[in-house]
Amino acid sequence: MNLREQFPLLASDPGIHYLDSGASSQVPQAVLDAVHTFETAQRANVHRGVHRLAEAATAAYEGARYEIAAFFSGRRDEIVLTSGTTAAINLVAHSFGDGLKPGDEIVITEIEHHSNIVPWQMLRDRRGLVLKALPVTVEGRIDLSALDGMVTKKTKLIALAHCSNVTGAVADLAKVVAAAKAVGAAVLVDGAQRVPHGPLDIPALGVDFYAFSGHKMYAPHGIGVLWGKRERLEAMPPFLGGGDMIRHVTIEKTTYAPPPTRFEAGTPNISGAIGLGAACRWMSGLDWKAIAQEEMRLTGRVLDGLAKVPGARVVGPLGLQQRIGVVSFALGQAHPHDVAQILDRHGVACRGGHHCAEPLMDRFDLMGTTRASIAPYTEDADIDALLEGVDEARRLLG
Amino acid sequence: MSDALYQDALLKLAKEAPRRGRLEPNDASVRLDNPLCGDRVRIDLRMSGPKIADLAHEVRGCVLCAAAAGAIGRLAVGLDREGVARLAAEADKALAGDAPETQELQAFNPVSRHRSRHDCVRLPFQALKQAMGVE
C-alpha cells in the first residue's frame, strides 16, 4: 500500500492535490481507527472514574502520552498535553513568565508565527520586560550573526521557530542554545513545522521547551504538546486552574499536582491525545530517510519549476540544505488569494496570505505569499498540477 | 470550483479601474484593512453639497478588491448618502447570488459561491460608506 492510499481523503479523491499540509496535514486510517475505537468502545472521562470505561479511557490517554514521549525521546512527565502550539507557548509565557522581573529581556525573531510573537508582547506589557527580535536574512533564515549583540546577561528566554512556516528554513538550534546557555537563558522552540517531517530527539537539542501541534503531524485538530525540561516544569506555577491539576483543595488554598498534570486543568482532549499517540505510532513505522529524500526531490521540482515562471519570486532558501518542503512565492503583483483561488481550479490546495507572519511579510515588503507545503503523501502529479496552475495564474493575473 | 470567478468583466473592472490613485485635498478619506487577507483600501472623496463630486481609490489587494474599487470609481460620482447605501446594497445582492440592477456589479455574481472572498468585494464599499457616513 502506498502512503497516499493510507489517507482516506486523498484516496477517495484523486483530483485533489493537497499541498497545504503546513496548515493541517491529512489524517491516516490508523489514526482515525484509534480515535474511532476510543469513541465507540472506551469513551469516558479520565483519571477519576473507577468504572471499566473510565479505566480504559485513562489507560488509552496515558498510553498515548507514553507513545508521544517515546517518539520524541522524552519522559512521560515532560509531555504536557495542550490544545496546540499556541496554547503551549502561552502556557510558558504565563507560567515561566511569572518569574521574570521588569527589565528582563526576551529575544524572538522576525521569522516567527504570530503565536510566537504575540504571547511575548503580552508578557512584556504585563511584566515590564524588553522584547527584541533577531533579523532575517535575504535568504529567509534567522540571522544568527546578530545573536552576540542581542543576547545579554538580562536575556531570560530566546523563543524561535525550528522551521519557518513561510520560508521553510531550518534554524541552527545549536548556536542559539549555546548563546542562551552562556547567559543562563532558557530556549523555547516552536516545532510545529518540524514535527511532521520525522522523528526527533527533543532532549538532545538542549532546549528547555519545545511546542508542537498534532494537526500538522497526521493527528486530529485541537491537540498539541509542550515538552518541557523536567526541572523547568517543576519550577513553574500552574497556568490555568481547575480540576485535575490539583493535589489538595480547601476553601483557603490549593496545592498543585506535579507536572505534567499541573498544567492540564480541566477535562483534556482525550480522543485528540489518543489520535496523536496513534500518529506517533504510525510515524514510527515509516522509512523517514526515504521520505526525506523524496520530500527534497519534490521540493527541488517546485523550486526549479518556479524559477522558470516569469515574475515568480521564492521567499526562502533556493537550495535544499537546511530546509523543509515548505515553499512560499510571490507572483508578480498578484495577490496570493487570487493565485490560490486559481490553483484551486486545478485541484491544488495551497495557502495564500501572510501565514500569520506579518513581520516577515514586512521584512520582504510583501502583502503575502502563496505557499506549497510537501508531506510524505505528496506525489509528482501534485507538483505538476501546482506548476500548471501557477502558469495559468501568471497568464490571467500577470 | 471557481471557473467563472476570474471572468473578463471582472478582470476588466480591476484593470481599468477609473479614478485610481489619491485625491488631495479631499473632504473625506477612509482607509480600511482586512487583517485576514491583507487587503487594504483607501477611498478619498470630494463633495459638492450632499453629493460626491469626485473620488479616488487606492487598493493593495486582490483582483476582487480592485474590481470592487473599480466599480465604485465608475459608479459612485454624483451619488448622495442614499445612493451610496443603495449601491452597496446592490453589491451585497450580487454576492448573495441575485442579479443586481446595476450591470457593472453583475461581474461579482460568481463570487457568491466563494464565501471566503465576499469580504474582498465588500471592503471598498465599506470604505465608501464610512467616508459618506452611511451606517
Side-chain angles (χ1 to χ4, degrees):
Chain A
M1 184 188 269
N2 73 22
L3 271 177
R4 193 178 168 98
E5 285 170 352
Q6 295 185 38
F7 290 80
L9 186 146
L10 300 175
S12 67
D13 185 358
I16 188 82
H17 300 288
Y18 193 74
L19 294 171
D20 198 19
S21 299
S24 276
S25 70
Q26 293 301 326
V27 181
Q29 189 64 52
V31 171
L32 296 169
D33 287 346
V35 172
H36 185 261
T37 297
F38 169 72
E39 296 290 6
T40 55
Q42 301 167 323
R43 183 178 167 88
N45 211 331
V46 291
H47 292 156
R48 289 172 298 280
V50 295
H51 55 79
R52 69 190 70 176
L53 289 177
E55 293 279 6
T58 300
Y61 179 73
E62 291 301 331
R65 195 193 306 273
Y66 271 107
E67 286 190 289
I68 297 162
F71 187 67
F72 291 102
S73 305
R75 299 159 45 107
R76 66 161 294 282
D77 57 359
E78 294 173 327
I79 301 292
V80 180
L81 293 165
T82 69
S83 65
T85 307
T86 299
I89 294 172
N90 275 277
L91 190 165
V92 176
H94 278 82
S95 293
F96 177 85
D98 268 1
L100 302 185
K101 297 177 181 64
D104 284 346
E105 296 177 358
I106 290 177
V107 175
I108 58 173
T109 89
E110 284 181 352
I111 215 165
E112 301 309 311
H113 189 284
H114 294 165
S115 61
N116 205 19
I117 297 173
V118 181
W120 307 117
Q121 291 175 340
M122 294 164 75
L123 174 62
R124 173 198 62 194
D125 296 343
R126 283 198 306 274
R127 309 290 296 180
L129 309 182
V130 176
L131 185 62
K132 300 172 173 178
L134 288 163
V136 169
T137 68
V138 288
E139 204 195 7
R141 296 186 186 279
I142 299 167
D143 185 357
L144 295 180
S145 69
L147 265 175
D148 280 349
M150 207 161 279
V151 176
T152 72
K153 286 180 180 170
K154 290 183 178 175
T155 305
K156 300 302 175 197
L157 180 82
I158 303 176
L160 77 163
H162 197 165
C163 302
S164 165
N165 71 315
V166 175
T167 72
V170 179
D172 185 348
L173 291 183
K175 270 190 187 164
V176 176
V177 169
K181 298 307 166 203
V183 297
V187 176
L188 176 140
V189 177
D190 166 0
Q193 294 293 331
R194 166 60 185 84
V195 290
H197 299 286
L200 180 68
D201 185 341
I202 293 178
L205 297 172
V207 304
D208 298 270
F209 303 104
Y210 197 96
F212 59 93
S213 298
H215 70 96
K216 296 186 200 295
M217 56 172 290
Y218 324 108
H221 291 104
I223 186 72
V225 169
L226 171 69
W227 175 89
K229 211 178 256 184
R230 191 179 172 201
E231 54 268 33
R232 287 283 188 199
L233 293 179
E234 282 177 343
M236 283 160 44
F239 171 30
L240 299 175
D244 235 25
M245 47 77 75
I246 55 94
R247 194 191 294 274
H248 185 60
V249 180
T250 67
I251 289 299
E252 287 74 33
K253 65 174 289 189
T254 297
T255 52
Y256 304 118
T261 317
R262 184 187 300 168
F263 303 104
E264 294 179 6
T267 296
N269 180 355
I270 304 166
S271 64
I274 289 166
L276 180 54
C280 289
R281 192 161 64 242
W282 176 79
M283 288 178 76
S284 299
L286 301 181
D287 178 354
W288 284 99
K289 194 174 172 192
I291 290 171
Q293 282 175 354
E294 180 63 1
E295 285 188 355
M296 281 303 102
R297 185 185 71 77
L298 295 169
T299 303
R301 277 204 63 203
V302 176
L303 292 168
D304 291 346
L306 290 172
K308 292 176 190 151
V309 177
R313 169 191 169 199
V314 171
V315 179
L318 297 176
L320 298 177
Q321 301 290 317
Q322 289 297 100
R323 69 141 43 248
I324 55 169
V326 168
V327 180
S328 286
F329 60 95
L331 193 58
Q333 296 303 309
H335 191 285
H337 280 189
D338 291 324
V339 177
Q341 192 89 59
I342 289 167
L343 289 173
D344 179 60
R345 282 210 301 222
H346 294 254
V348 176
C350 263
R351 174 89 8 163
H354 54 54
H355 312 294
C356 295
E358 285 189 89
L360 187 63
M361 295 300 128
D362 291 343
R363 158 70 180 83
F364 287 103
D365 195 24
L366 291 167
M367 64 179 133
T369 65
T370 307
R371 181 186 74 182
S373 41
I374 286 163
Y377 41 72
T378 307
E379 296 178 341
D380 277 303
D382 302 323
I383 309 303
D384 293 341
L386 170 71
L387 295 174
E388 283 166 19
V390 169
D391 193 50
E392 194 201 351
R394 177 192 63 78
R395 280 187 278 113
L396 215 49
L397 305 171
Chain B
M1 299 299 265
S2 51
D3 285 346
L5 193 57
Y6 295 97
Q7 54 174 292
D8 288 346
L10 189 134
L11 292 172
K12 196 175 169 194
L13 265 179
K15 195 172 179 185
E16 292 179 356
R19 298 190 166 81
R20 184 187 285 139
R22 295 296 312 272
L23 202 58
E24 300 278 7
N26 56 60
D27 298 309
S29 180
V30 168
R31 193 192 95 176
L32 288 183
D33 295 281
N34 180 342
L36 292 180
C37 67
D39 283 350
R40 175 174 294 171
V41 175
R42 182 183 288 279
I43 299 273
D44 296 328
L45 299 181
R46 200 172 287 156
M47 305 300 293
S48 172
K51 292 187 175 179
I52 298 172
D54 200 1
L55 71 84
H57 55 85
E58 198 173 54
V59 172
R60 189 198 75 169
C62 66
V63 167
L64 304 186
C65 191
I72 286 170
R74 193 173 285 179
L75 299 168
V77 170
L79 298 182
D80 58 11
R81 290 173 65 174
E82 224 170 76
V84 163
R86 212 164 28 239
L87 183 67
E90 281 272 279
D92 279 339
K93 202 172 171 186
L95 292 176
D98 300 326
E101 288 165 21
T102 312
Q103 196 185 347
E104 283 87 344
L105 298 182
Q106 287 173 11
F108 297 104
N109 259 147
V111 188
S112 64
R113 292 192 292 277
H114 302 273
R115 186 168 281 275
S116 64
R117 306 298 301 277
H118 286 192
D119 285 345
C120 306
V121 176
R122 285 204 180 102
L123 196 68
F125 288 99
Q126 285 167 347
L128 176 65
K129 285 202 295 184
Q130 206 168 309
M132 285 290 280
V134 175
E135 291 297 318

